Amino acid sequence: NLSLSGKGIAGGLAVVLRNIFRRPVTSRYPEQREVLSRRFRGNELIWQEERCSGCTTCARTCPMGVIHLRTSGTGRLPAPCAETCPAHIDVPRYIKYIDRGQPAEALAVIREKIPFPSVCGRVCFHPCESQCQRRNIDKSVSIRVLKRWAAEHDDGRWKKLSGKAPDSGHKVAVVGAGPAGLTAAYYLAKAGHRVTVFEALPEAGGMMRVGIPDYRLPKTVLRAEIDQIKAAGVEIKTGVRITSLVELMQNGFKAVFLAIGAHQGMKMGVKGEDLPGVIDCATFLREAALDQPVKIGRRVAVVGGGNAAIDAARVALRKGAESVTMLYRRTEAEMPANPEEIKAAREENVKIEFLTNPTGINADNGRMAVTCQRMKLGEPDASGRRRPEPIKGSEFSVLYDTVIAAIGQRPEIPLDFKIVQEHGNIKADPATLATNLPGVFAGGDAQTGPSSVIEAIAAGRQGAISIDKYLGGKGEIGEVLAAPAEKTRPLSLSDKLRNRLHPAELPAAERMKDFSEVELSLNEKEAVTEASRCLECDMAYAVENISADMGYCIFCGLCVEACPRDALFMGYGFERARYRVAEFKLDKSGLAMGEGKIRSGYCRPNIETTLPPQTLLINRDRRTLKRTDEEA
């Protein structure tokens, strides 16, 4: 026994020593954020009829098969995923079509809201997945990946129902050919206006073209979607920099949408940042994307922790750097970069130095000595993240050939625009995107600061709506390109636990050779299988009867947590004397009705002693219940 005990202690110490220097990592934005549980245990299952949509998610989630619903009639409610999407794409509807093996119809649904389905299928940060109710069972549906699969099977069917209003006679100028500008231009052209887009860069696409590398978004994919926008009647003039809004108005444009993006890299504010060999991230990515000569050394440092910093590090490796180290002043838990991108960078041997902040750069025989200081985390700052604080006496220096500053970007707003600014961005009404100048609207990164493609697309839609109204239209840019998708099929208990699908990727060694796309496509079987995991919580039904076999209920609270409409909860009222009798059935009238939630005694130790002792013993399995019933 002593020998076994000694081995156990030794094994435990080995685990401790193996992990003692590892930093704790918490999950973060967007789909890996911590979701607080709603499972408060009690002895009553409470159902609120006015909240219930009859979606049967609770019944399908219950591991004991306790809850039964009888419904009639069919309707639809906004699903949490669609409500979370900045562009409000009807996610459950297009996933239903994929479940049926109908990608063309699925693409039509997506195109009702955005003109960049292929782009978003690759680079969207998918906030919809953070609200997918499937995560309450196992993991959320791979919504972004399914969007890409639908876009890759475009047969042009959506064009047959896509209309265009008669010519309004109004000319509209869009300054900037990024996601916001091109989206606004597309919907304004479909509304009948004559739209011209002016772009300073030699190619259209904005940050989609010069800020997102080919291994994430191939040029051919972006150009194909821009060609569809041109086909709608949008004229795009590249290599044209607009410096005066007055001149635009004098040339006959009745309205202007400013979508100039945020292409100017921000300074680090340290000594030596103007030395040769120090470059800002926006410039570096732009030059690389446009195939311009990029000088990169053997050892590269990237300062920052966002998606742009990750892209700079990965591009540097593909441009010939032998080693790349990211310097980030917080921990991985606070990194704003998408976890998927961090993982990909690590697979490509990008090193990340956390709690490290550069404080100065000095020339050293053709190289650069970067002086850094170790940091610790203090109290949260305005962003909600813990503020990094320097550790006295922790300075050290490392030699690098190239330093890329990726600490942020801002818009370059010409002074002749005479437009009101706020915090370095164009100030615009958050609802209408109207600026201080009549007929001038602004959206995208120039108005909000650096954001995401899907958020810029949403701004472009709002810009089109507001400008159409300004020009005398109704602002109705929505259209229906596919028929309603009804419920596909019931989800059985055996279907519940299925792993989330992750698309295949090029091996790290192979992807480093060039800029080939890293993430690979799904096949039809994979796409249909993943789509079938959708719980269809957008469907609404009239509930005729709800019953529960409370004798088998283990009060685990999974039904409460899974309910997308918050119609179920558990609480304490009184102890049901026969709660362990398997035949006991609660019909609709027998369920307790409540207006507010009552937190469980399991979460309130101060009242736990006042509860009947058997209340704390109800977490039993089916076999125990059956044995107890037989003994009775």
Side-chain angles (χ1 to χ4, degrees):
N1 288 342
L2 289 174
S3 175
L4 291 175
S5 176
K7 289 181 179 179
I9 293 173
L13 286 173
V15 172
V16 171
L17 293 173
R18 210 166 39 238
N19 294 278
I20 194 168
F21 293 111
R22 295 181 62 184
R23 297 187 181 96
V25 176
T26 58
S27 58
R28 66 272 185 217
Y29 150 91
E31 74 287 343
Q32 292 190 5
R33 275 180 179 160
E34 204 57 43
V35 178
L36 297 179
S37 173
R38 300 199 305 260
R39 288 185 279 171
F40 301 126
R41 288 191 170 188
N43 63 352
E44 287 183 338
L45 176 62
I46 302 174
W47 172 71
Q48 298 181 93
E49 184 174 12
E50 66 276 9
R51 288 179 176 269
C52 183
S53 66
C55 67
T56 71
T57 300
C58 57
R60 290 179 286 170
T61 304
C62 178
M64 308 300 287
V66 166
I67 302 174
H68 309 280
L69 285 89
R70 186 170 72 246
T71 62
S72 63
T74 304
R76 295 197 72 215
L77 291 170
C81 53
E83 289 182 312
T84 306
C85 173
H88 300 297
I89 300 172
D90 195 343
V91 176
R93 184 159 144 251
Y94 83 72
I95 287 182
K96 287 184 182 70
Y97 275 123
I98 295 176
D99 190 11
R100 297 175 185 174
Q102 297 175 287
E105 287 80 0
L107 176 62
V109 173
I110 298 167
R111 278 198 165 272
E112 291 176 356
K113 296 293 185 180
I114 63 173
F116 291 105
S118 292
V119 171
C120 289
R122 287 169 167 82
V123 302
C124 184
F125 78 112
H126 46 76
C128 51
E129 294 183 17
S130 68
Q131 296 301 312
C132 175
Q133 297 303 304
R134 181 79 198 197
R135 77 194 194 285
N136 294 317
I137 295 177
D138 37 49
K139 291 185 178 180
S140 58
V141 176
S142 295
I143 298 172
R144 176 188 63 80
V145 175
L146 291 176
K147 186 184 286 91
R148 171 180 171 175
W149 183 79
E152 289 177 336
H153 292 77
D154 182 7
D155 62 1
R157 194 174 310 178
W158 60 273
K159 298 178 185 178
K160 298 177 181 178
L161 295 175
S162 181
K164 184 176 180 179
D167 188 353
S168 68
H170 296 302
K171 291 174 60 179
V172 180
V174 175
V175 184
L182 290 176
T183 298
Y186 175 73
Y187 288 110
L188 285 168
K190 288 172 67 64
H193 307 300
R194 302 172 188 175
V195 185
T196 303
V197 180
F198 299 96
E199 172 56 56
L201 292 171
E203 289 192 44
M207 291 304 291
M208 295 185 296
R209 176 65 185 84
V210 299
I212 303 177
D214 283 15
Y215 59 77
R216 290 177 59 203
L217 178 59
K219 295 185 184 72
T220 54
V221 172
L222 176 60
R223 286 170 181 161
E225 301 210 318
I226 293 176
D227 286 342
Q228 295 290 353
I229 293 173
K230 291 179 179 178
V234 175
E235 181 184 10
I236 303 176
K237 295 183 177 182
T238 57
V240 179
R241 183 177 295 275
I242 300 298
T243 58
S244 173
L245 299 180
V246 173
E247 289 183 9
L248 280 179
M249 295 297 192
Q250 290 175 345
N251 289 331
F253 292 102
K254 300 298 183 182
V256 178
F257 185 66
L258 296 177
I260 59 177
H263 292 261
Q264 185 178 33
M266 297 177 67
K267 295 285 188 179
M268 294 183 288
V270 301
K271 177 185 175 182
E273 63 180 336
D274 295 321
L275 288 171
V278 181
I279 186 172
D280 71 87
C281 178
T283 301
F284 172 70
L285 291 177
R286 180 168 59 249
E287 291 177 351
L290 296 176
D291 296 324
Q292 297 175 356
V294 177
K295 294 182 180 179
I296 202 80
R298 292 172 54 250
R299 288 172 53 85
V300 176
V302 177
V303 182
N307 283 329
I310 295 285
D311 281 333
R314 298 175 70 186
V315 169
L317 287 172
R318 287 164 172 79
K319 285 293 184 178
E322 294 181 7
S323 69
V324 177
T325 302
M326 293 182 62
L327 308 176
Y328 182 57
R329 60 180 185 161
R330 290 185 169 96
T331 70
E332 183 173 352
E334 288 80 31
M335 282 186 79
N338 193 311
E340 298 168 355
E341 298 304 311
I342 298 173
K343 173 179 174 292
R346 282 200 168 112
E347 290 173 349
E348 296 173 9
N349 294 322
V350 172
K351 302 172 185 177
I352 307 178
E353 286 285 345
F354 295 108
L355 294 170
T356 303
N357 188 44
T359 58
I361 304 173
N362 297 296
D364 188 340
N365 295 323
R367 307 179 73 185
M368 286 172 292
V370 180
T371 302
C372 301
Q373 189 170 28
R374 295 295 184 189
M375 312 294 284
K376 63 180 180 180
L377 296 182
E379 296 299 316
D381 60 14
S383 70
R385 298 177 297 172
R386 295 175 64 190
R387 187 189 307 276
E389 299 174 351
I391 299 175
K392 188 176 180 180
S394 63
E395 293 83 359
F396 64 98
S397 183
V398 184
L399 289 175
Y400 294 104
D401 299 301
T402 305
V403 177
I404 302 173
I407 60 170
Q409 294 162 215
R410 59 189 175 194
E412 295 182 77
I413 306 172
L415 292 176
D416 288 346
F417 276 11
K418 294 181 174 58
I419 199 162
V420 174
Q421 301 179 34
E422 186 175 45
H423 305 302
N425 303 321
I426 298 175
K427 185 177 181 179
D429 185 287
T432 65
L433 302 184
T435 69
N436 62 301
L437 301 177
V440 178
F441 300 77
D445 290 0
Q447 183 249 334
T448 63
S451 58
S452 66
V453 171
I454 189 63
E455 288 169 320
I457 289 172
R461 285 182 58 86
Q462 183 56 56
I465 292 170
S466 297
I467 290 174
D468 185 52
K469 288 180 178 179
Y470 176 79
L471 296 175
K474 296 181 179 179
E476 297 175 353
I477 65 172
E479 55 185 352
V480 178
L481 303 179
E486 300 298 333
K487 188 176 178 68
T488 52
R489 57 178 177 75
L491 185 70
S492 67
L493 187 64
S494 61
D495 286 338
K496 288 180 183 176
L497 297 177
R498 287 206 303 270
N499 291 331
R500 170 186 165 104
L501 184 145
H502 295 279
E505 296 182 346
L506 287 178
E510 185 176 343
R511 71 174 77 154
M512 298 297 297
K513 297 176 182 177
D514 52 31
F515 282 80
S516 297
E517 191 170 9
V518 171
E519 186 178 85
L520 305 180
S521 302
L522 302 178
N523 59 43
E524 182 175 1
K525 181 179 179 181
E526 290 172 333
V528 172
T529 300
E530 181 63 18
S532 69
R533 297 177 65 242
C534 177
L535 295 176
E536 299 178 328
C537 54
D538 63 310
M539 303 304 292
Y541 308 90
V543 180
E544 292 185 349
N545 180 268
I546 180 170
S547 60
D549 298 321
M550 299 305 291
Y552 289 122
C553 181
I554 61 175
F555 291 86
C556 63
L558 283 173
C559 58
V560 174
E561 187 151 342
C563 178
R565 305 295 168 191
D566 212 18
L568 286 171
F569 63 95
M570 287 183 179
Y572 287 107
F574 57 91
E575 182 71 8
R576 296 189 183 276
R578 301 176 59 195
Y579 76 94
R580 289 172 61 190
V581 180
E583 299 82 42
F584 184 62
K585 204 174 218 184
L586 279 174
D587 59 16
K588 180 176 177 179
S589 60
L591 287 174
M593 307 293 286
E595 296 180 356
K597 289 190 174 182
I598 303 175
R599 291 177 64 88
S600 163
Y602 289 97
C603 299
R604 295 188 289 175
N606 58 312
I607 69 163
E608 198 169 274
T609 56
T610 67
L611 300 174
Q614 63 267 36
T615 303
L616 305 178
L617 302 174
I618 59 178
N619 191 3
R620 302 172 185 271
D621 60 23
R622 187 185 295 268
R623 289 175 297 177
T624 303
L625 290 171
K626 286 184 176 180
R627 186 170 62 250
T628 304
D629 295 336
E630 290 170 0
E631 292 172 355

